[in-house]
Amino acid sequence: MEISFSQQRVYLECPWQYKLRFVDGRRPPQTPESALGISLHRALESYYRDSAGDAGLDRLLDCFERRRVRPRTLDPKEDKLWADKGRRILKRCFELEADRRSQVAGVEREFVYPLGRHTVRGMIDRIDLLPDGGHEIIDYNPRVGEWGASESAARSLQLRFYALGAKESLAMKPAVLTVIELSKAKILSVPYDPSGEEELKALILKAADGIEGGGMTPETSFCPRCSFKSDCSNSTAA
């Protein structure tokens, strides 16, 4: 089968959630916060794809206006508050990136490579070329609190998944893993450590084999954090 990081993460968290999302086609309800995250991501994608980051703040804010997602449930006053928040975040991100010495080498770069009898596929938000010839793998994270000074295992896993894809499929040399926390306008980076690549491949294969085998037993310890907890027949969350 073909497996992405989202599929791997969801299946390892709860196989039943995987069924709801990737078999039944259910999607978590959109909130103003999630809509803003999508809007920020789309704005940055457009900006760096079209200008490689050299067009200035006005261009970035214009990308935000053109690509912004507007939830229908918001009244005009609330919509303006969320739009203003998005502009403030992008202004801070623009300022943080002003001193970068790297060059944008790719935006929304797809990778595909074989692993055992499966295929691994993914999409990297951004790849920068560093002055020493190495590559920086960059992920935009719209949510609060998923990374800190000591990066969380889940976020580190996602970045390592992307770094492995860049190495295996795009012939790149991952040197730095970076997450840009959009909600906090923070940039957090760690050196890439290739020593865990075989362990990561084994984890990908474990998820792919489990999905292929049809094992969809609920993992109820994940229920309190699940987007479907309110109407899932297997949920143990109050």
Side-chain angles (χ1 to χ4, degrees), residues 131-162:
D132 64 1
H135 289 92
E136 181 178 8
I137 309 300
I138 300 173
D139 183 57
Y140 301 129
N141 177 22
R143 294 170 292 279
V144 176
E146 292 196 4
W147 251 60
S150 298
E151 65 275 9
S152 71
R155 178 58 47 176
S156 175
L157 178 62
Q158 181 172 359
L159 285 166
R160 289 192 291 114
F161 187 100
Y162 292 160

Side-chain angles (χ1 to χ4, degrees), residues 76-94:
K77 184 177 180 180
E78 290 177 312
D79 183 65
K80 183 178 184 305
L81 290 174
W82 282 99
D84 289 344
K85 181 176 182 180
R87 295 185 194 99
R88 289 195 301 271
I89 289 172
L90 289 174
K91 287 178 182 177
R92 293 199 299 270
C93 287
F94 183 83

Side-chain angles (χ1 to χ4, degrees), residues 151-222:
E151 65 275 9
S152 71
R155 178 58 47 176
S156 175
L157 178 62
Q158 181 172 359
L159 285 166
R160 289 192 291 114
F161 187 100
Y162 292 160
L164 181 60
K167 184 176 180 178
E168 294 285 332
S169 176
L170 305 177
M172 292 184 172
K173 298 189 296 181
V176 177
L177 308 182
T178 293
V179 62
I180 299 179
E181 282 194 348
L182 298 178
S183 60
K184 299 179 182 179
K186 287 185 177 180
I187 298 177
L188 301 166
S189 300
V190 293
Y192 176 61
D193 181 3
S195 64
E197 289 180 351
E198 293 307 313
E199 181 182 358
L200 175 56
K201 289 179 181 179
L203 194 63
I204 296 171
L205 289 172
K206 176 183 177 181
D209 289 343
I211 294 168
E212 189 178 56
M216 301 295 169
T217 304
E219 176 49 70
T220 55
S221 65
F222 182 75

Side-chain angles (χ1 to χ4, degrees), residues 55-76:
L57 178 58
D58 287 344
R59 170 63 177 163
L60 176 58
L61 296 179
D62 178 65
C63 290
F64 176 68
E65 296 301 328
R66 290 189 292 105
R67 302 295 305 276
R68 191 161 73 87
V69 177
R70 295 172 170 83
R72 296 179 180 178
T73 55
L74 290 184
D75 62 39

Side-chain angles (χ1 to χ4, degrees), residues 113-128:
Y113 66 93
L115 183 62
R117 66 175 184 275
H118 305 296
T119 300
V120 182
R121 183 185 296 271
M123 191 78 73
I124 303 171
D125 287 345
R126 193 173 111 207
I127 302 173
D128 278 15

